[in-house]
Amino acid sequence: MSVERSEVPTDGDLVHRAKRGDEFAFGQLVERHQTASYAVALSVTGRHEDAEDAAQDSFLVALQRLNECRSPERFAGWLMTIVRNRSRNLVRRESLRHTDQVPPGVQSLVPTPDRVAETSELRGRLKEALAALPEVQRQIVLLHDLEGWKHREIADRLELPSGTVRSHLHFARKALRASLGGLPVGPDLQRKIL
Amino acid sequence: MRDEVRDEADYAGELDLDDELAQALALLDPALQDPNYWFRFRSWVLTSATAELARRRLMHQLTVGDVMSSWARGVVSTAALAAALAGLLLVRGPGAPAPQPVGVEGLIVSEVEGETMPSLIPPETNGAVAFASEIF
């Protein structure tokens, strides 16, 4: 009886290959985890530029320290720890710098000024609502509702009990709904941003 | 208060994906307004990682034999150079003038024409070290 091997390499496979300098494998790891890394970084820094810097920097740090990743199959959790630490360091370093966030791509798509204003306003309110949450709740709600991670994945990768993750998610959503009471959602939101 | 003590099972069902909230949170995705954002993100990381990946490839390709031979190359060349120098000294043979020790004072005045100042070092010191300083 032969065991059919999955076509999709696991994180562990990719880590082993990346350790040997396989650029394609490392690229796959980046592709798999870039949005989650950004979401975690954003939940800590609260600013796009800082989140981008921290997330990108974390991949480079992870590559340099790849030999320290003792459980390659749990690469995502290990990476998220690096992202959180790098993000916190960045916040500490740049705590004196106050510049407003400019969403990326706004200039490149040349949208109408009205749409830019509306989207920026919505994003601003969303950021304010998220900023009011504790860091762990921001991470969980972004990973769950933005990245589509399951409770158990979040629990595993953030090293939290599953019940705690569910509880945080519940309270984070409740707080966000309360803060975004006047925010257009559903079709109204789609009409505004698309 | 009751919310804080709810059992994990109580959250089941209400914690499925919240479409409306997910749509609102999607505003934070940089790719919403720049479809190539994640491609550029990945490219930046890979470009920055080029040197480290190359180093890892090199380290992986190196065998124990490579390390030993690179070590041996250095040792052998140094030993060969030392042997050549020793051989050269031996070949010079006894006919060559032996190097004569020269005193510092003699070395200083050896090519100076005319009289030089007499030695400030009294002869009885006979090779002992002396220090002198001038005050202007």
Side-chain angles (χ1 to χ4, degrees):
Chain A
M1 194 177 84
S2 66
V3 178
E4 217 172 273
R5 189 179 162 82
S6 170
E7 292 287 325
V8 182
T10 64
D11 276 3
D13 296 333
L14 295 174
V15 167
H16 285 304
R17 284 165 52 192
K19 276 183 183 175
R20 301 195 296 262
D22 186 330
E23 187 175 349
F24 182 74
F26 181 63
Q28 279 193 299
L29 283 172
V30 175
E31 197 169 349
R32 265 183 204 181
H33 301 294
Q34 58 189 2
T35 55
S37 298
Y38 175 83
V40 168
L42 187 65
S43 72
V44 177
T45 64
R47 289 161 29 104
H48 165 72
E49 290 89 345
D50 289 345
E52 183 182 64
D53 284 351
Q56 289 180 329
D57 193 35
S58 296
F59 278 109
L60 299 178
V61 171
L63 177 63
Q64 282 168 353
R65 298 183 185 167
L66 212 48
N67 294 346
E68 297 170 24
C69 180
R70 292 180 184 175
S71 308
E73 291 299 339
R74 297 169 66 88
F75 172 79
W78 181 73
L79 176 67
M80 293 310 138
T81 304
I82 294 177
V83 174
R84 275 199 304 279
N85 291 337
R86 303 297 291 186
S87 303
R88 285 172 186 158
N89 288 344
L90 195 67
V91 169
R92 270 198 291 272
R93 264 204 319 268
E94 300 196 353
S95 57
L96 296 177
R97 201 185 75 182
H98 296 286
T99 53
D100 198 10
Q101 174 190 2
V102 180
V106 167
Q107 297 89 340
S108 63
L109 285 188
V110 198
T112 62
D114 285 350
R115 207 181 81 174
V116 170
E118 282 176 355
T119 309
S120 296
E121 186 194 338
L122 294 174
R123 188 182 288 113
R125 289 187 58 186
L126 193 57
K127 282 179 61 188
E128 280 174 20
L130 280 169
L133 298 177
E135 184 186 303
V136 67
Q137 291 188 6
R138 282 199 298 272
Q139 280 178 38
I140 290 170
V141 78
L142 287 177
L143 287 173
H144 189 274
D145 287 338
L146 182 62
E147 296 305 314
W149 283 21
K150 308 285 182 220
H151 305 125
R152 294 198 187 286
E153 284 179 303
I154 297 173
D156 186 47
R157 292 170 185 184
L158 297 188
E159 294 179 346
L160 292 170
S162 181
T164 306
V165 170
R166 286 167 173 271
S167 168
H168 279 314
L169 183 60
H170 167 77
F171 288 112
R173 281 177 165 180
K174 196 173 167 184
L176 280 179
R177 285 200 198 97
S179 301
L180 302 175
L183 186 75
V185 290
D188 290 342
L189 176 65
Q190 277 190 325
R191 267 199 298 278
K192 278 190 181 295
I193 63 177
L194 298 178
Chain B
M1 189 65 186
R2 167 165 155 61
D3 276 346
E4 291 170 13
V5 293
R6 285 172 70 173
D7 187 63
E8 175 182 341
D10 290 350
Y11 297 113
E14 73 176 69
L15 294 182
D16 293 334
L17 195 62
D18 183 330
D19 287 336
E20 290 186 347
L21 197 55
Q23 274 184 10
L25 290 173
L27 281 171
L28 299 174
D29 183 354
L32 183 70
Q33 297 194 28
D34 179 0
N36 292 325
Y37 178 81
W38 293 116
F39 176 78
R40 286 192 290 103
F41 182 103
R42 179 172 164 273
S43 299
W44 187 92
V45 173
L46 286 179
T47 303
S48 305
T50 303
E52 175 64 14
L53 287 167
R55 188 189 69 80
R56 285 181 173 276
R57 277 194 297 275
L58 183 67
M59 292 302 290
H60 180 66
Q61 285 160 6
L62 281 179
T63 61
V64 175
D66 291 331
V67 176
M68 292 299 288
S69 68
S70 90
W71 173 79
R73 269 199 298 277
V75 171
V76 167
S77 61
T78 307
L81 186 65
L85 279 172
L88 190 67
L89 288 173
L90 286 172
V91 165
R92 288 176 70 187
Q100 296 293 318
V102 179
V104 174
E105 197 171 333
L107 193 65
I108 292 170
V109 300
S110 64
E111 292 184 0
V112 178
E113 292 177 1
E115 281 196 16
T116 58
M117 284 179 70
S119 171
L120 295 174
I121 305 172
E124 60 271 18
T125 57
N126 197 22
V129 178
F131 296 93
S133 62
E134 288 179 297
I135 299 170
F136 295 95

